[in-house]
Structure formats: C-alpha cells, structure tokens
Amino acid sequence: MNVSLSQRFQNALVLAVQAHDGQVRKGSGTPYVCHPLQVCGIALEHGADEDQAIAALLHDVLEDTHHTYEDLAARFGTRVADTVRGCSDCEEPEDKGPWRERKERYLAHLREAGPDIALVSCSDKLHNARSILTDLRTHGSALWDRFTGKKDGSLWYYAELVEIFAGLSVPPALLAELGDTVQRVRTVSAA
C-alpha cells in the first residue's frame, strides 16, 4: 500500500515531539518520542493509512501528557482521536489507578476494538515487547523491577494481548511478530 503523508502527518509529528519533550523510556533513558516514532513505523509497514499513522504517533498523548481528546479531534479529526482514545488505558496521567484493574479494563475494551485501534495498539505492543526483550538481554531479570506488574503480571498481560489480537483484524505478519517476540521474552525470562 502506497500511503501519501500530508501536512497533517507532519503536524502530528511535531505535536508528538513537543508533547513528549523531556520524557524518557523506563530504565533506558531513551527519549520517549522514539517510541511513538517506532510505533508509527511499524503501523506504516503493516498497511496503515495516514489517519492510522497519525494515531500511532499520538497514541500515548492522552495517557502521558496534558492533551485532551477534544484537542486531538479538533486538530486531526474524530477518527484519529477515537483511535488514540481506544489505545489508551486512561486519559488522566495523574490518576491512572491500580495497574491490574487498568490492564483488565483495557483487555476487555480491546476485545471489541475495530481495525484502527487493533492496528495501532498491536504496533504499540510489538514495540514495547521488542524493547522488553532488548532490555532483558542487557539487564537480566532486574528489568522487571521497573514495571508495576513486575515479571508475572507483565508476562500475563502480553500473553493476553497476543490472544486477543489473534481474534481481531490485525495483519497476520504483525500478529506473528508480536507472538514470536512475546515468546522470546518468556524464554529469556525463564533462563
């Protein structure tokens, strides 16, 4: 699929950089904006159109910044804002609530997700799983201390995600890579 990226995409890219300015990834110190850029790249590699690519760039702004659904809808349209909302497990960075409850709520919501949310969310989870695998190989089991769900909760969550995405309209190659990566995380964690 040959997708044309317009000024809207460029505006979303600028917003992602600005919104995540000063934020870093857990434990690695990598600028956080690298994550939405990677998620966007994964989504585009698996057939994203421009709205899906924009949502991939902005998928964490409701959870982790001061931007609101209304702000995103006004700038990029309701399809993008709805996709970002659907990829968020909360919209209030200061009040995320208990980890397990939040994840169970997100999993229940994901079971009913349409193709836009499924593509962006699966791209997000693949990049997170890749990062976990890399950091696990670098830091060993100490990696799990940085996660609220620790090792058991995180492995449970990713196994559930793979199962749910298998029932959604996710590109087969994307689903296969997520499944393979999650299995490698489990294997390295057990060693």
Side-chain angles (χ1 to χ4, degrees):
M1 179 177 179
N2 187 9
V3 64
S4 179
L5 300 174
S6 71
Q7 185 64 46
R8 285 177 68 239
F9 179 85
Q10 293 176 33
N11 294 344
L13 181 59
V14 169
L15 178 60
V17 170
Q18 292 172 343
H20 295 296
D21 185 43
Q23 296 176 347
V24 295
R25 293 280 280 175
K26 287 182 184 176
S28 71
T30 303
Y32 193 85
V33 75
C34 291
H35 173 62
L37 292 172
Q38 293 278 341
V39 172
C40 181
I42 291 167
L44 284 167
E45 288 171 6
H46 291 281
D49 62 26
E50 185 175 46
D51 279 349
Q52 292 166 329
I54 290 170
L57 283 173
L58 303 176
H59 76 275
D60 277 336
V61 299
L62 294 180
E63 285 183 21
D64 297 334
T65 76
H66 67 279
H67 292 279
T68 65
Y69 172 88
E70 293 75 20
D71 176 36
L72 294 182
R75 291 184 190 201
F76 302 103
T78 56
R79 182 178 175 212
V80 168
D82 287 346
T83 303
V84 172
R85 177 179 270 167
C87 291
S88 304
D89 64 12
C90 72
E91 291 186 37
E92 297 294 327
E94 296 81 28
D95 186 28
K96 290 189 174 190
W99 182 86
R100 181 73 181 224
E101 286 178 26
R102 206 171 68 242
K103 297 307 179 191
E104 287 176 352
R105 229 180 7 258
Y106 184 75
L107 292 170
H109 155 76
L110 191 58
R111 285 182 175 86
E112 307 299 321
D116 291 344
I117 294 167
L119 175 63
V120 175
S121 181
C122 193
S123 298
D124 172 34
K125 302 318 181 208
L126 173 57
H127 184 252
N128 285 339
R130 285 177 180 171
S131 297
I132 289 169
L133 183 59
T134 298
D135 289 351
L136 192 55
R137 288 177 172 157
T138 302
H139 304 289
S141 62
L143 157 90
W144 297 115
D145 292 340
R146 72 173 81 146
F147 291 98
T148 306
K150 304 298 182 200
K151 176 182 171 181
D152 290 341
S154 298
L155 293 176
W156 159 80
Y157 182 59
Y158 278 89
E160 291 290 313
L161 287 165
V162 171
E163 182 179 316
I164 291 168
F165 285 126
L168 299 176
S169 58
V170 173
L174 177 58
L175 177 61
E177 187 173 356
L178 177 63
D180 291 347
T181 305
V182 169
Q183 184 55 48
R184 284 186 284 167
V185 167
R186 294 183 80 78
T187 302
V188 173
S189 293

PDB file of all heavy atoms in Angstrom, residues 77-95:
ATOM      1  N   GLY A  77      -9.155  15.333  13.641  1.00  0.00           N
ATOM      2  CA  GLY A  77     -10.395  14.650  13.318  1.00  0.00           C
ATOM      3  C   GLY A  77     -10.752  13.582  14.335  1.00  0.00           C
ATOM      4  O   GLY A  77      -9.901  13.113  15.099  1.00  0.00           O
ATOM      5  N   THR A  78     -12.036  13.202  14.334  1.00  0.00           N
ATOM      6  CA  THR A  78     -12.512  12.248  15.342  1.00  0.00           C
ATOM      7  C   THR A  78     -11.976  10.841  15.114  1.00  0.00           C
ATOM      8  O   THR A  78     -11.822  10.099  16.076  1.00  0.00           O
ATOM      9  CB  THR A  78     -14.049  12.210  15.392  1.00  0.00           C
ATOM     10  OG1 THR A  78     -14.558  11.913  14.094  1.00  0.00           O
ATOM     11  CG2 THR A  78     -14.606  13.530  15.881  1.00  0.00           C
ATOM     12  N   ARG A  79     -11.695  10.446  13.870  1.00  0.00           N
ATOM     13  CA  ARG A  79     -11.159   9.103  13.651  1.00  0.00           C
ATOM     14  C   ARG A  79      -9.818   8.945  14.359  1.00  0.00           C
ATOM     15  O   ARG A  79      -9.576   7.943  15.041  1.00  0.00           O
ATOM     16  CB  ARG A  79     -11.005   8.813  12.156  1.00  0.00           C
ATOM     17  CG  ARG A  79     -10.490   7.408  11.876  1.00  0.00           C
ATOM     18  CD  ARG A  79     -10.400   7.116  10.402  1.00  0.00           C
ATOM     19  NE  ARG A  79      -9.799   5.804  10.188  1.00  0.00           N
ATOM     20  CZ  ARG A  79      -9.048   5.513   9.150  1.00  0.00           C
ATOM     21  NH1 ARG A  79      -8.802   6.410   8.198  1.00  0.00           N
ATOM     22  NH2 ARG A  79      -8.523   4.305   9.042  1.00  0.00           N
ATOM     23  N   VAL A  80      -8.941   9.933  14.226  1.00  0.00           N
ATOM     24  CA  VAL A  80      -7.648   9.887  14.908  1.00  0.00           C
ATOM     25  C   VAL A  80      -7.863   9.924  16.419  1.00  0.00           C
ATOM     26  O   VAL A  80      -7.302   9.104  17.161  1.00  0.00           O
ATOM     27  CB  VAL A  80      -6.730  11.046  14.456  1.00  0.00           C
ATOM     28  CG1 VAL A  80      -5.510  11.173  15.369  1.00  0.00           C
ATOM     29  CG2 VAL A  80      -6.297  10.858  13.003  1.00  0.00           C
ATOM     30  N   ALA A  81      -8.675  10.861  16.891  1.00  0.00           N
ATOM     31  CA  ALA A  81      -8.902  10.993  18.337  1.00  0.00           C
ATOM     32  C   ALA A  81      -9.530   9.735  18.918  1.00  0.00           C
ATOM     33  O   ALA A  81      -9.142   9.285  20.003  1.00  0.00           O
ATOM     34  CB  ALA A  81      -9.778  12.211  18.622  1.00  0.00           C
ATOM     35  N   ASP A  82     -10.485   9.142  18.190  1.00  0.00           N
ATOM     36  CA  ASP A  82     -11.105   7.896  18.669  1.00  0.00           C
ATOM     37  C   ASP A  82     -10.093   6.758  18.735  1.00  0.00           C
ATOM     38  O   ASP A  82     -10.130   5.945  19.664  1.00  0.00           O
ATOM     39  CB  ASP A  82     -12.268   7.489  17.759  1.00  0.00           C
ATOM     40  CG  ASP A  82     -13.501   8.362  17.923  1.00  0.00           C
ATOM     41  OD1 ASP A  82     -13.589   9.124  18.909  1.00  0.00           O
ATOM     42  OD2 ASP A  82     -14.379   8.281  17.029  1.00  0.00           O
ATOM     43  N   THR A  83      -9.200   6.695  17.772  1.00  0.00           N
ATOM     44  CA  THR A  83      -8.176   5.643  17.769  1.00  0.00           C
ATOM     45  C   THR A  83      -7.214   5.830  18.935  1.00  0.00           C
ATOM     46  O   THR A  83      -6.884   4.868  19.640  1.00  0.00           O
ATOM     47  CB  THR A  83      -7.419   5.610  16.426  1.00  0.00           C
ATOM     48  OG1 THR A  83      -8.366   5.432  15.363  1.00  0.00           O
ATOM     49  CG2 THR A  83      -6.394   4.484  16.398  1.00  0.00           C
ATOM     50  N   VAL A  84      -6.782   7.063  19.160  1.00  0.00           N
ATOM     51  CA  VAL A  84      -5.882   7.339  20.291  1.00  0.00           C
ATOM     52  C   VAL A  84      -6.581   6.989  21.601  1.00  0.00           C
ATOM     53  O   VAL A  84      -5.996   6.317  22.460  1.00  0.00           O
ATOM     54  CB  VAL A  84      -5.403   8.807  20.277  1.00  0.00           C
ATOM     55  CG1 VAL A  84      -4.637   9.143  21.561  1.00  0.00           C
ATOM     56  CG2 VAL A  84      -4.544   9.078  19.048  1.00  0.00           C
ATOM     57  N   ARG A  85      -7.836   7.401  21.746  1.00  0.00           N
ATOM     58  CA  ARG A  85      -8.595   7.067  22.963  1.00  0.00           C
ATOM     59  C   ARG A  85      -8.688   5.549  23.123  1.00  0.00           C
ATOM     60  O   ARG A  85      -8.532   5.017  24.213  1.00  0.00           O
ATOM     61  CB  ARG A  85      -9.986   7.681  22.914  1.00  0.00           C
ATOM     62  CG  ARG A  85     -10.843   7.300  24.110  1.00  0.00           C
ATOM     63  CD  ARG A  85     -12.201   7.933  24.045  1.00  0.00           C
ATOM     64  NE  ARG A  85     -12.149   9.229  24.721  1.00  0.00           N
ATOM     65  CZ  ARG A  85     -13.091  10.154  24.633  1.00  0.00           C
ATOM     66  NH1 ARG A  85     -14.156   9.960  23.868  1.00  0.00           N
ATOM     67  NH2 ARG A  85     -12.977  11.285  25.304  1.00  0.00           N
ATOM     68  N   GLY A  86      -8.930   4.849  22.037  1.00  0.00           N
ATOM     69  CA  GLY A  86      -9.058   3.398  22.084  1.00  0.00           C
ATOM     70  C   GLY A  86      -7.766   2.673  22.396  1.00  0.00           C
ATOM     71  O   GLY A  86      -7.790   1.513  22.819  1.00  0.00           O
ATOM     72  N   CYS A  87      -6.643   3.356  22.218  1.00  0.00           N
ATOM     73  CA  CYS A  87      -5.334   2.766  22.538  1.00  0.00           C
ATOM     74  C   CYS A  87      -4.851   3.167  23.930  1.00  0.00           C
ATOM     75  O   CYS A  87      -3.760   2.777  24.347  1.00  0.00           O
ATOM     76  CB  CYS A  87      -4.297   3.199  21.499  1.00  0.00           C
ATOM     77  SG  CYS A  87      -4.575   2.481  19.865  1.00  0.00           S
ATOM     78  N   SER A  88      -5.658   3.930  24.646  1.00  0.00           N
ATOM     79  CA  SER A  88      -5.274   4.450  25.962  1.00  0.00           C
ATOM     80  C   SER A  88      -5.973   3.676  27.061  1.00  0.00           C
ATOM     81  O   SER A  88      -7.163   3.389  26.959  1.00  0.00           O
ATOM     82  CB  SER A  88      -5.654   5.929  26.073  1.00  0.00           C
ATOM     83  OG  SER A  88      -5.073   6.672  25.025  1.00  0.00           O
ATOM     84  N   ASP A  89      -5.240   3.364  28.123  1.00  0.00           N
ATOM     85  CA  ASP A  89      -5.913   2.697  29.239  1.00  0.00           C
ATOM     86  C   ASP A  89      -6.357   3.690  30.303  1.00  0.00           C
ATOM     87  O   ASP A  89      -6.949   3.319  31.297  1.00  0.00           O
ATOM     88  CB  ASP A  89      -5.093   1.542  29.822  1.00  0.00           C
ATOM     89  CG  ASP A  89      -3.779   1.944  30.456  1.00  0.00           C
ATOM     90  OD1 ASP A  89      -3.545   3.142  30.664  1.00  0.00           O
ATOM     91  OD2 ASP A  89      -2.978   1.048  30.748  1.00  0.00           O
ATOM     92  N   CYS A  90      -6.095   4.973  30.064  1.00  0.00           N
ATOM     93  CA  CYS A  90      -6.616   6.049  30.905  1.00  0.00           C
ATOM     94  C   CYS A  90      -6.416   7.359  30.148  1.00  0.00           C
ATOM     95  O   CYS A  90      -5.650   7.421  29.205  1.00  0.00           O
ATOM     96  CB  CYS A  90      -5.930   6.089  32.261  1.00  0.00           C
ATOM     97  SG  CYS A  90      -4.230   6.672  32.188  1.00  0.00           S
ATOM     98  N   GLU A  91      -7.104   8.402  30.597  1.00  0.00           N
ATOM     99  CA  GLU A  91      -6.924   9.716  29.966  1.00  0.00           C
ATOM    100  C   GLU A  91      -6.447  10.760  30.966  1.00  0.00           C
ATOM    101  O   GLU A  91      -6.378  11.934  30.635  1.00  0.00           O
ATOM    102  CB  GLU A  91      -8.220  10.173  29.295  1.00  0.00           C
ATOM    103  CG  GLU A  91      -8.564   9.353  28.076  1.00  0.00           C
ATOM    104  CD  GLU A  91      -9.776   9.896  27.324  1.00  0.00           C
ATOM    105  OE1 GLU A  91      -9.941  11.132  27.244  1.00  0.00           O
ATOM    106  OE2 GLU A  91     -10.542   9.068  26.811  1.00  0.00           O
ATOM    107  N   GLU A  92      -6.123  10.339  32.156  1.00  0.00           N
ATOM    108  CA  GLU A  92      -5.659  11.262  33.187  1.00  0.00           C
ATOM    109  C   GLU A  92      -4.285  10.795  33.670  1.00  0.00           C
ATOM    110  O   GLU A  92      -4.193   9.852  34.458  1.00  0.00           O
ATOM    111  CB  GLU A  92      -6.626  11.295  34.371  1.00  0.00           C
ATOM    112  CG  GLU A  92      -8.009  11.804  34.033  1.00  0.00           C
ATOM    113  CD  GLU A  92      -8.006  13.260  33.643  1.00  0.00           C
ATOM    114  OE1 GLU A  92      -7.182  14.031  34.171  1.00  0.00           O
ATOM    115  OE2 GLU A  92      -8.825  13.639  32.778  1.00  0.00           O
ATOM    116  N   PRO A  93      -3.202  11.430  33.194  1.00  0.00           N
ATOM    117  CA  PRO A  93      -1.863  10.983  33.586  1.00  0.00           C
ATOM    118  C   PRO A  93      -1.637  10.922  35.095  1.00  0.00           C
ATOM    119  O   PRO A  93      -0.903  10.073  35.579  1.00  0.00           O
ATOM    120  CB  PRO A  93      -0.935  12.025  32.947  1.00  0.00           C
ATOM    121  CG  PRO A  93      -1.735  12.683  31.895  1.00  0.00           C
ATOM    122  CD  PRO A  93      -3.178  12.566  32.303  1.00  0.00           C
ATOM    123  N   GLU A  94      -2.310  11.799  35.844  1.00  0.00           N
ATOM    124  CA  GLU A  94      -2.101  11.854  37.289  1.00  0.00           C
ATOM    125  C   GLU A  94      -2.895  10.798  38.049  1.00  0.00           C
ATOM    126  O   GLU A  94      -2.636  10.537  39.213  1.00  0.00           O
ATOM    127  CB  GLU A  94      -2.467  13.247  37.839  1.00  0.00           C
ATOM    128  CG  GLU A  94      -1.602  14.375  37.313  1.00  0.00           C
ATOM    129  CD  GLU A  94      -2.041  14.859  35.928  1.00  0.00           C
ATOM    130  OE1 GLU A  94      -3.233  14.739  35.596  1.00  0.00           O
ATOM    131  OE2 GLU A  94      -1.177  15.346  35.192  1.00  0.00           O
ATOM    132  N   ASP A  95      -3.899  10.199  37.410  1.00  0.00           N
ATOM    133  CA  ASP A  95      -4.788   9.282  38.121  1.00  0.00           C
ATOM    134  C   ASP A  95      -5.014   8.022  37.296  1.00  0.00           C
ATOM    135  O   ASP A  95      -6.103   7.785  36.796  1.00  0.00           O
ATOM    136  CB  ASP A  95      -6.125   9.978  38.420  1.00  0.00           C
ATOM    137  CG  ASP A  95      -7.030   9.117  39.285  1.00  0.00           C
ATOM    138  OD1 ASP A  95      -6.508   8.298  40.060  1.00  0.00           O
ATOM    139  OD2 ASP A  95      -8.260   9.268  39.168  1.00  0.00           O
TER     140      ASP A  95
END
